[in-house]
Amino acid sequence: MSRQLPARQRDVLNAIVELSEQCGYPPTLQELATHLGLKNRMTIHQHVSALKKKELVLWEPKLNRSMRVSSEGLRLLNLDNESNDSHLRAVPFSEAAPEEDAAEADAQPVGVPLAGRIAAGAPIDAFETPEFLTMESDYAQRGCFALEVKGDSMIEDGIYSGDYVIIKPSPSPTNGEIVVALLEDGSATLKRFYKENGGFRLQPGNSSMEPIFVSRASDLQIQGVVVGLFRKM
Amino acid sequence: MSRQLPARQRDVLNAIVELSEQCGYPPTLQELATHLGLKNRMTIHQHVSALKKKELVLWEPKLNRSMRVSSEGLRLLNLDNESNDSHLRAVPFSEAAPEEDAAEADAQPVGVPLAGRIAAGAPIDAFETPEFLTMESDYAQRGCFALEVKGDSMIEDGIYSGDYVIIKPSPSPTNGEIVVALLEDGSATLKRFYKENGGFRLQPGNSSMEPIFVSRASDLQIQGVVVGLFRKM
DNA sequence: AGGGATACTATACTTACGTATGGGTGCTCT
DNA sequence: AGAGCACCCATACGTAAGTATAGTATCCCT
């Protein structure tokens, strides 16, 4: 098992993600240091170097703000935030950094310009709502992952084969949510989740398919709930 | 009309977008300069300052790589790339920059980790496909915008009310594509586009609705074609 | 003809970023 | 006890980035 990341390195990884998300661009070593309450950049330099060697972080030497968390790095964070929910945020000694985070000021979402609303028959408010539609900014950096859908089990909910569903890891969904369920035989499906009569019902969104009933919780493992859907056309 | 952006400023705006996209982080003034074939950063500094004053660019003074194109800036680029297709790429004097772009090397997409494929009944390849699902990185920075859908005109194509469609501006779609059509009466709809018999047919994806026929091209304006769909759940 | 906007250049200063060097403490393992 | 790791610190250096100042050339406008 190649996993066994030192606690502080995971904190750093987390901080990179957080700061990148907040500012729209990756942090510098100094910003990371003050964010984590450290007095010296060199400490961060060592940690990030270690993370780079493990290929959890992409980092061009000598290049300002070139840090990015790799695919593996993000997945590792997902897993950790899931299983280890009692873990404290970060910030080792001083709970709040003494001076305010300079980087924390100008948070602004990155996204696709949201031009307006298109109604069937009604006029379009062309370019009147200058907002952003944020997609991966909301999900990518924090806990979520994507799955490609194969099959028609949720077609009546507008989830088609070939779509991508965004999954937020959550072992205990509420009734009616669409979940990724891992069954006892090792198969995984996308179904609507209902807890009832002491058991569970997994309801497909396809009237030609039958619901699945699971009585024992140990036979059912919920990987997460669907929080978004994306389709390339 | 507040629009009338000097040609070179739009080039700079474009370059910011391109380089950001390529590297995953915003460029420096120097990188922009060499990318545009300029010998001195100061030129870029002036242009970006102008862009900042017009609020087309967000830029923290003295902060490395803190440039970002604003909402207005992106929209402006969309419009320009659309209407002014004869415009040359950039690069004023020397067509190709003499030295290779240092920033151009390590392009790597940013996105949601794509964990695997979920099949109805088949086992999930849990965490075996370490790729990324890129969403706004593919669209945001280059020409596309989003619209929120209201109505059921495309429900049989899995586009529901409340979804967001990603639109790529394109005045001349090919048959069968889903387009945003602006009709002569000022209304806008989402329909499938067919050019036939010298006229146009706009086919809803809803069998309880009738297609719209338009005979004169001047009565129909295509805002763009749907290249993606996004749903928050 | 003059004013102004656009566009580019050169030189030089200041700062902050990345990095090298050299320590320090506490823990675990053998 | 010593080796090794995780974790932190301070100092110092080279360089690249942002910026201030100053100057040139072209074009358009009234």
Side-chain angles (χ1 to χ4, degrees):
Chain A
M1 192 79 72
S2 80
R3 274 199 66 234
Q4 192 63 323
L5 196 60
R8 220 57 221 289
Q9 285 182 29
R10 213 215 35 249
D11 290 343
V12 172
L13 208 58
N14 233 323
I16 296 175
V17 158
E18 276 184 33
L19 292 179
S20 299
E21 208 174 342
Q22 270 170 14
C23 307
Y25 40 84
T28 61
L29 294 178
Q30 184 60 59
E31 286 167 2
L32 278 174
T34 61
H35 182 77
L36 289 174
L38 297 179
K39 295 185 176 177
N40 201 299
R41 303 168 254 157
M42 210 46 222
T43 308
I44 296 290
H45 187 277
Q46 290 156 5
H47 284 145
V48 179
S49 296
L51 288 171
K52 183 187 175 174
K53 198 173 299 173
K54 296 176 186 174
E55 295 189 328
L56 300 176
V57 144
L58 307 176
W59 192 32
E60 230 53 51
K62 301 209 172 208
L63 239 189
N64 272 351
R65 294 183 197 277
S66 65
M67 267 177 278
R68 280 184 305 157
V69 179
S70 74
S71 170
E72 279 82 347
L74 283 175
R75 268 214 326 260
L76 210 155
L77 281 184
N78 294 348
L79 295 177
D80 272 19
N81 292 342
E82 167 90 7
S83 58
N84 186 7
D85 247 353
S86 63
H87 169 64
L88 295 181
R89 224 358 120 35
V91 190
F93 296 126
S94 55
E95 174 53 38
E99 51 259 317
E100 62 176 352
D101 250 328
E104 220 141 29
D106 64 325
Q108 209 247 13
V110 184
V112 181
L114 185 53
R117 215 166 290 248
I118 176 176
I124 185 177
D125 309 337
F127 301 129
E128 69 123 39
T129 320
E131 286 180 26
F132 275 112
L133 169 64
T134 59
M135 297 184 291
E136 67 216 31
S137 326
D138 284 355
Y139 301 123
Q141 303 279 49
R142 200 98 201 126
C144 296
F145 59 93
L147 288 173
E148 186 182 349
V149 176
K150 285 292 167 197
D152 297 332
S153 68
M154 293 304 288
I155 202 168
E156 286 160 18
D157 288 280
I159 302 178
Y160 286 32
S161 190
D163 290 358
Y164 298 91
V165 286
I166 318 291
I167 309 294
K168 177 185 161 77
S170 160
S172 51
T174 60
N175 268 10
E177 283 185 315
I178 301 176
V179 302
V180 177
L182 199 59
L183 298 178
E184 179 247 8
D185 62 359
S187 67
T189 51
L190 201 60
K191 298 277 190 306
R192 234 172 243 284
F193 172 89
Y194 295 95
K195 182 175 184 179
E196 56 188 18
N197 301 334
F200 306 94
R201 186 178 98 235
L202 297 174
Q203 182 73 44
N206 184 335
S207 42
S208 71
M209 296 171 77
E210 296 299 321
I212 299 176
F213 295 95
V214 178
S215 49
R216 286 181 307 173
S218 60
D219 290 347
L220 178 67
Q221 192 189 335
I222 303 298
Q223 296 245 323
V225 307
V226 175
V227 294
L229 176 117
F230 183 68
R231 182 182 303 158
K232 289 188 188 209
M233 303 172 93
Chain B
M1 191 80 71
S2 80
R3 272 200 65 231
Q4 192 63 320
L5 195 61
R8 220 54 220 285
Q9 283 181 31
R10 212 214 38 244
D11 289 343
V12 172
L13 208 58
N14 233 324
I16 295 175
V17 157
E18 276 184 33
L19 292 179
S20 299
E21 209 174 340
Q22 269 169 15
C23 307
Y25 39 82
T28 62
L29 294 178
Q30 184 59 61
E31 286 167 2
L32 277 174
T34 60
H35 182 78
L36 289 175
L38 297 179
K39 294 185 176 177
N40 201 299
R41 300 168 257 156
M42 210 46 222
T43 308
I44 297 291
H45 186 276
Q46 289 156 5
H47 285 145
V48 179
S49 296
L51 288 171
K52 184 188 175 174
K53 199 173 297 173
K54 297 176 186 174
E55 296 188 327
L56 300 177
V57 145
L58 308 175
W59 192 31
E60 230 53 50
K62 302 209 171 207
L63 241 187
N64 272 350
R65 293 181 198 277
S66 64
M67 269 176 278
R68 279 186 304 156
V69 180
S70 75
S71 168
E72 278 81 347
L74 285 175
R75 267 216 323 265
L76 210 155
L77 280 184
N78 294 348
L79 295 178
D80 271 19
N81 292 342
E82 169 89 8
S83 59
N84 186 7
D85 247 354
S86 64
H87 168 64
L88 295 182
R89 224 357 120 37
V91 188
F93 296 126
S94 53
E95 175 53 39
E99 51 258 315
E100 63 177 351
D101 251 326
E104 221 140 30
D106 62 327
Q108 208 246 13
V110 184
V112 181
L114 185 52
R117 218 164 288 246
I118 176 175
I124 184 177
D125 308 337
F127 301 127
E128 69 123 37
T129 319
E131 287 180 25
F132 276 110
L133 170 63
T134 59
M135 296 185 291
E136 65 216 33
S137 327
D138 283 355
Y139 301 123
Q141 303 279 49
R142 197 102 201 123
C144 297
F145 60 93
L147 289 171
E148 186 182 349
V149 176
K150 285 291 167 197
D152 297 333
S153 68
M154 292 304 288
I155 202 168
E156 287 161 17
D157 287 282
I159 302 178
Y160 286 32
S161 191
D163 289 357
Y164 298 91
V165 285
I166 317 291
I167 309 294
K168 178 186 162 79
S170 159
S172 52
T174 60
N175 269 9
E177 281 184 316
I178 301 176
V179 302
V180 177
L182 199 59
L183 298 178
E184 178 248 6
D185 62 358
S187 66
T189 52
L190 201 60
K191 298 277 190 306
R192 231 172 245 285
F193 173 90
Y194 295 96
K195 182 173 184 179
E196 54 187 19
N197 300 335
F200 305 94
R201 185 177 98 235
L202 298 174
Q203 182 73 43
N206 184 335
S207 41
S208 72
M209 297 171 76
E210 295 299 320
I212 299 176
F213 294 95
V214 178
S215 50
R216 284 183 307 172
S218 59
D219 290 347
L220 177 67
Q221 192 190 334
I222 302 299
Q223 296 246 318
V225 307
V226 175
V227 293
L229 176 114
F230 183 66
R231 184 182 301 157
K232 288 188 191 213
M233 304 172 97

